[in-house]
Amino acid sequence: TKSTVIITGASSGLGLATAKVLADSGEWHVIMACRDFLKAERAARAVGMPKDSYTVIHCDLSSLNSVKQFVDNVRQSGRPLDVLVCNAAVYLPTAKEPRYTADGFELSVGTNHLGHFLLANMLMEDIQHKENDTNRRVIIVGSITGNTNTIAGNVPPKANLGDLRGLAGGLDGVRSSVMIVGGEFDGAKAYKDSKVCNMLTMQEMHRRFHEKTGVTFASLYPGCIATTGLFREHYQLFRTLFPPFQKYITKGYVSEEEAGKRLAQVVSDPTLNKSGVYWSWNNQSNSFENELSQEASDAEKAKKLWEISEKLVNLS
Ligand code: NDP
């Protein structure tokens, strides 16, 4: 029988490319967790995913109620869950004003971090209850841009969570700042901060659950996939110049197809089952265990982030 993987944001870019690789392998049933049902269904058909290899289930990560509803629907589908991939993200680099989730959190951190935080916590119950299986994984897509120990991570505005005061206040722009560190809204920074949260969450889950449950927790930077919808809100000039810049100058460019193969490896390759790892790939496309920046590997910050996030999504 096939294993089951949930991929959030599987309607485009990296998520879709990964869904395609796994569906084509014949070994996986892909649950596409998407906010736009029709778009996801069309995307799956357009890339030629076999009809019985996937199910689209609605999930809007910018609404905690929608996340809960999604978990209910997954449970009702009766498929035992093997792997969860937290991949969806929004990036608002040109927004002048903050936008908000249904629950009133700044949209980038609310979607990329808090929505996935609730989803991963709820689904731990479903993943760990499968016995005699060594391929149970929770994967959270990270990014180089949140890692200040890299050149890309040093392009301003840099990620920085500070003492998490804005997050603790609820990121609502009324009682607290919309930025985790406090201060004025900056969409590019909010995205980078959310990616640091993703990487910290993966490590905290590893510390809390790996030994107890045997589940593998991993994050990754698949390379710069300069052509995806992630940049849809960026200036047109940026969108024209960014792909060739990444291809010929930084040489960090990867195609959506190659990036999909990389994430699919983290899902299913038996040799990539070590827990707590942040995976990257070298120029020969070989995977290696990469190092995170100081902030993205700060265990104390990870714990604090966890406790605040639990309160915000009403888990504690
Ligand atoms: P895309 O914009 O192509 O894909 C993002 C996906 O997230 C889309 O399917 C989008 O849905 C979905 N999404 C957005 N908001 C929500 C929401 N509220 N609820 C559910 N789904 C939502 O970008 P990428 O493929 O590039 O991004 C995928 C991941 O890769 C992200 O985590 C990103 O941070 C990461 N990444 C990307 C890099 C790159 O160079 N592109 C580099 C490093 C990491 P819809 O189709 O409906 O818009």
Side-chain angles (χ1 to χ4, degrees), residues 7 10 14-24 30 32 49 53-54 260:
I7 305 178
L14 176 61
L16 179 61
T18 307
K20 162 87 176 146
V21 173
L22 293 170
D24 282 352
V30 183
M32 301 169 74
M49 285 167 63
S53 68
Y54 68 92

Side-chain angles (χ1 to χ4, degrees), residues 125-150:
E125 215 177 288
D126 305 76
I127 295 178
Q128 67 194 11
H129 284 175
K130 232 186 136 192
E131 279 167 30
N132 306 324
D133 189 340
T134 55
N135 190 31
R136 290 161 303 144
R137 303 178 186 182
V138 173
I139 299 156
I140 308 181
V141 178
S143 178
I144 200 171
T145 53
N147 268 315
T148 51
N149 60 340
T150 63

Side-chain angles (χ1 to χ4, degrees), residues 44-316:
R45 272 188 236 156
V47 297
M49 285 167 63
K51 211 171 183 294
D52 58 354
S53 68
Y54 68 92
T55 312
V56 181
I57 302 183
H58 183 263
C59 178
D60 184 347
L61 288 156
S62 65
S63 155
L64 300 178
N65 266 338
S66 174
V67 170
K68 288 180 203 155
Q69 187 68 52
F70 170 78
V71 171
D72 271 355
N73 289 340
V74 168
R75 287 176 183 159
Q76 270 172 31
S77 80
R79 288 183 189 276
L81 180 61
D82 299 275
V83 179
L84 167 66
V85 179
C86 298
N87 160 78
V90 285
Y91 175 45
L92 311 166
T94 57
K96 300 271 183 288
E97 296 291 331
R99 281 185 244 162
Y100 297 92
T101 66
D103 306 276
F105 308 123
E106 184 280 316
L107 191 66
S108 334
V109 174
T111 306
N112 308 355
H113 168 57
L114 291 171
H116 280 133
F117 181 84
L118 177 63
L119 179 68
N121 269 285
M122 289 185 78
L123 287 177
M124 271 312 292
E125 215 177 288
D126 305 76
I127 295 178
Q128 67 194 11
H129 284 175
K130 232 186 136 192
E131 279 167 30
N132 306 324
D133 189 340
T134 55
N135 190 31
R136 290 161 303 144
R137 303 178 186 182
V138 173
I139 299 156
I140 308 181
V141 178
S143 178
I144 200 171
T145 53
N147 268 315
T148 51
N149 60 340
T150 63
I151 296 174
N154 272 301
V155 176
K158 287 195 224 176
N160 160 28
L161 309 187
D163 61 4
L164 303 164
R165 67 178 62 182
L167 187 71
L171 292 182
D172 64 2
V174 181
R175 280 159 301 167
S176 77
S177 164
V178 292
M179 300 300 289
I180 293 178
V181 67
E184 292 292 298
F185 175 66
D186 180 329
K189 181 176 187 300
Y191 169 79
K192 293 179 189 180
D193 290 348
S194 77
K195 290 280 116 184
V196 174
C197 292
N198 286 155
M199 294 180 278
L200 287 171
T201 300
M202 177 282 284
Q203 295 164 87
E204 187 65 15
M205 291 191 92
H206 167 70
R207 282 187 284 267
R208 285 176 186 246
F209 303 128
H210 176 62
E211 231 169 83
K212 239 189 291 176
T213 64
V215 173
T216 292
F217 300 92
S219 187
L220 69 150
Y221 173 63
C224 182
I225 330 158
T227 50
T228 69
L230 193 67
F231 306 99
R232 68 187 98 184
E233 302 231 359
H234 223 305
Y235 299 113
Q236 189 51 50
L237 186 65
F238 176 91
R239 298 177 60 189
T240 309
L241 296 180
F242 193 53
F245 174 73
Q246 291 294 344
K247 255 182 217 164
Y248 305 114
I249 316 275
T250 69
K251 305 222 177 355
Y253 174 86
V254 287
S255 64
E256 293 182 25
E257 202 185 3
E258 173 61 24
K261 279 188 202 154
R262 292 177 178 183
L263 178 47
Q265 276 174 34
V266 184
V267 171
S268 67
D269 190 324
T271 65
L272 269 67
N273 74 343
K274 186 171 165 190
S275 187
V277 174
Y278 168 61
W279 295 102
S280 294
W281 284 259
N282 63 20
N283 290 341
Q284 284 75 47
S285 274
N286 295 317
S287 58
F288 66 95
E289 293 179 28
N290 204 349
E291 265 183 44
L292 289 160
S293 71
Q294 203 179 359
E295 181 168 52
S297 51
D298 183 335
E300 227 166 88
K301 206 168 270 197
K303 184 165 178 282
K304 196 168 167 191
L305 173 70
W306 184 277
E307 287 164 359
I308 296 172
S309 304
E310 269 186 327
K311 284 203 190 101
L312 292 178
V313 303
N314 301 319
L315 279 172
S316 70

